[in-house]
């Protein structure tokens, strides 16, 4: 058996006796009645931007090639998730997933699985201009592009790279390649782009993109998150209301972390993900796989299960299935950010997959 315990706090969940309270189902159920059907897969922790709420300007320590799952290892885990554990949605993320060599082949292999999962990508959009057609052809269904500002100087301040025009070109190419819907993720940073909510929504509505604002979360690698600096969901909604009439969207929210609002009577909508101030953990349907093969039951989990170690010591599929099920069964009720004892995961967002 591989050594599964480390200072990162890995679960050796598959080694423990099965919990008799867990229902006898292959699905990724937890103690609170949730079922994880949405697998977020981080393909790399590396990135070509350095967004200030995500990473420091310098000094990131990247995973080494040998630490990352190979394409074969990754596809074995994806296949188990889809064919044995009831996962129906795959989202590739990172770090920046477009930096993963062979992304198109990974998407194509995932699209051949039966039942066919839905496949999406969360990206900063750099390089998408050249790859959108191939990705759509490989079977990518949808994508989210992160864009926090429409001003070049602000983009450079936030991301520490002068690449706004690449992101905008990537968005255009994604639309031309038929990828739909295109969602935009925006994080507002006080004093830099916190006055831009209205302009971002006008831009998104004009282009037919679905915009979602995300509250800043304590997942930055430099651990500089400050609750008092965060632009809250309430502030975002108030700011949008200076220019638009917003009514709550009464459609079933499903497992979406975003609260949805109808804009000026619809059909345009805007989403606000208030992870910190309006948590929606009770509806969560996610399970996460990091680039180095760790399963996490939550973005904010402080323990993880080392499937890479299992893969590399020759474990069979049944063992991996059990380890994954046990990890999700142990999922906490909520992220605990607002609890006095909250402590930030040692693994930053860029190494988990946002
Ligand atoms: N590089 C890709 C991108 O930026 O879309 C994928 C990975 S990134 C970690 C995924 C999403 O997380 C992005 O929309 C980004 O804005 C968001 N994000 C990163 N750090 C965050 C933080 N501390 N709080 C809230 N959202 C964050
Ligand atoms: Fe890179 Fe995405 Fe993090 Fe920005 S948010 S630094 S694009 S991983």
């Amino acid at each position: 058996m591989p050594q599964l315990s480390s200072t990162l706090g890995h679960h050796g969940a598959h080694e423990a006796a099965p919990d008799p309270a867990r229902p006898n189902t292959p699905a990724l159920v937890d103690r609170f009645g949730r079922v994880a059907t949405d697998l977020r897969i981080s393909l790399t922790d590396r990135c070509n931007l350095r967004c200030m709420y995500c990473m420091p300007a310098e000094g990131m320590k990247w995973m080494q090639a040998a630490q990352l799952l190979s394409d074969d290892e990754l596809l074995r885990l994806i296949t188990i998730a889809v064919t044995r554990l009831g996962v129906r949605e795959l989202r590739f993320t990172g770090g920046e997933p477009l930096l993963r060599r062979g992304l198109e082949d990974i998407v194509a292999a995932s699209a051949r699985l039966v039942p066919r999962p839905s496949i999406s990508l969360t990206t900063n959009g750099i390089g998408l201009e050249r790859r959108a057609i191939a990705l759509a052809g490989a079977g990518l269904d949808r994508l989210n592009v992160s864009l926090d500002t429409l001003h070049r100087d602000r983009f450079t301040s936030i991301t520490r790279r002068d690449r706004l025009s690449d992101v905008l070109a990537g968005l255009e190419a994604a639309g031309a390649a038929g990828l739909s819907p295109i969602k935009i993720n925006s994080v507002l940073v006080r004093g830099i782009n916190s006055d831009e909510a209205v302009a971002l929504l006008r831009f998104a509505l004009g282009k037919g993109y679905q915009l979602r604002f995300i509250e800043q979360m304590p997942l930055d690698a430099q651990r500089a998150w400050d609750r008092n600096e965060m632009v809250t969901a309430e502030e975002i909604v108030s700011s949008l209301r200076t220019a638009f009439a917003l009514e709550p969207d009464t459609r079933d929210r499903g497992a979406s972390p975003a609260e949805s609002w109808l804009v000026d009577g619809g059909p345009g909508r805007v989403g606000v993900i208030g992870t910190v101030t309006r948590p929606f953990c009770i509806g969560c349907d996610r399970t996460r796989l990091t680039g180095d093969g760790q399963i996490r039951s939550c973005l904010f989990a402080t323990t993880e299960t080392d499937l890479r170690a299992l893969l590399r010591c020759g474990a069979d599929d049944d063992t991996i299935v059990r380890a994954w099920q046990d990890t999700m069964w142990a999922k906490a009720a909520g992220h605990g950010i607002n609890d006095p004892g909250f402590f930030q995961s040692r693994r930053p967002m860029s190494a988990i997959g946002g």
Side-chain angles (χ1 to χ4, degrees):
M1 269 293 150
Q3 173 57 259
L4 292 184
S5 305
S6 84
T7 49
L8 243 187
H10 296 301
H11 277 304
H14 69 293
E15 293 168 326
D19 182 344
R22 187 185 179 280
N24 185 17
T25 168
L28 294 172
V29 294
D30 68 31
R31 290 184 170 80
F32 304 93
R34 297 168 295 193
V35 185
T37 54
D38 177 347
L39 172 58
R40 310 266 151 160
I41 302 159
S42 176
L43 294 176
T44 175
D45 59 336
R46 290 176 197 244
C47 194
N48 39 16
L49 298 182
R50 295 287 182 279
C51 302
M52 56 194 298
Y53 46 76
C54 184
M55 297 182 187
E58 288 169 28
M60 281 298 283
K61 289 206 170 59
W62 310 118
M63 291 173 194
Q64 299 305 303
Q67 290 175 275
L68 285 176
L69 294 180
S70 67
D71 288 1
D72 286 347
E73 289 172 331
L74 181 65
L75 286 166
R76 180 163 169 219
L77 294 181
I78 292 175
T79 302
I80 289 173
V82 171
T83 63
R84 304 268 317 258
L85 296 170
V87 163
R88 294 194 298 265
E89 289 183 60
L90 305 175
R91 174 169 295 276
F92 294 108
T93 178
E96 177 42 49
L98 291 174
L99 295 182
R100 172 91 181 212
R101 209 170 291 144
L103 172 62
E104 289 79 353
D105 296 334
I106 294 170
V107 170
S110 303
R112 286 193 290 273
L113 292 173
V114 180
R116 159 72 155 90
S118 88
I119 304 174
S120 54
L121 182 72
T122 298
T123 172
N124 64 27
I126 295 173
L128 194 56
E129 187 183 13
R130 293 186 311 282
R131 297 172 64 183
I133 290 176
L135 284 165
L140 185 69
D141 297 307
R142 294 174 283 118
L143 90 170
N144 289 35
V145 175
S146 301
L147 176 67
D148 303 330
T149 173
L150 300 166
H151 298 279
R152 183 176 168 188
D153 56 334
R154 292 178 174 193
F155 185 94
T156 307
S157 298
I158 293 171
T159 69
R160 305 180 174 110
R161 301 288 186 273
D162 184 8
R163 306 295 296 268
L164 175 61
S165 58
D166 297 274
V167 180
L168 296 176
L171 274 168
E172 290 293 330
L179 291 164
S180 172
I182 296 175
K183 294 189 182 175
I184 306 266
N185 291 352
S186 297
V187 175
L188 296 181
V189 182
R190 199 173 298 287
I192 301 187
N193 65 340
S194 42
D195 61 354
E196 224 177 313
V198 168
L200 283 163
L201 181 52
R202 283 219 170 89
F203 167 79
L205 293 172
K207 294 277 187 184
Y209 305 145
Q210 295 180 10
L211 176 65
R212 292 142 23 116
F213 291 97
I214 310 177
E215 272 180 353
Q216 247 185 73
M217 300 181 255
L219 282 171
D220 53 312
Q222 66 275 34
R223 295 169 166 262
W225 179 81
D226 176 353
R227 177 185 296 271
N228 301 316
E229 280 298 305
M230 171 185 68
V231 180
T232 63
E234 193 179 342
E235 282 178 85
I236 295 165
V237 170
S238 305
S239 160
L240 291 173
R241 283 197 158 130
T242 62
F244 302 99
L246 298 189
E247 295 159 48
D249 181 356
T250 50
R251 290 178 313 177
D252 180 15
R253 181 175 178 177
S256 170
E259 254 180 293
S260 176
W261 300 86
L262 274 185
V263 181
D264 289 341
R269 290 180 165 80
V270 63
V272 181
I273 303 181
T275 310
V276 179
T277 63
R278 303 185 190 188
F280 192 56
C281 302
I282 196 65
C284 182
D285 66 351
R286 294 174 182 182
T287 180
R288 295 173 182 276
L289 176 62
T290 66
D292 56 350
Q294 313 298 310
I295 288 293
R296 298 174 67 91
S297 59
C298 173
L299 256 181
F300 298 91
T302 50
T303 58
E304 40 192 43
T305 300
D306 190 353
L307 294 192
R308 185 189 62 188
L310 287 177
L311 286 170
R312 293 187 182 174
C313 79
D316 61 11
D317 285 3
D318 287 347
T319 305
I320 291 167
V321 160
R322 275 197 305 279
W324 206 324
Q325 289 167 333
D326 289 347
T327 306
M328 296 311 296
W329 180 245
K331 179 171 172 135
H335 55 47
I337 299 174
N338 301 311
D339 299 347
F342 174 73
F343 103 95
Q344 188 172 337
S345 164
R346 289 179 52 189
R347 199 187 266 273
M349 174 86 118
S350 53
I352 299 171

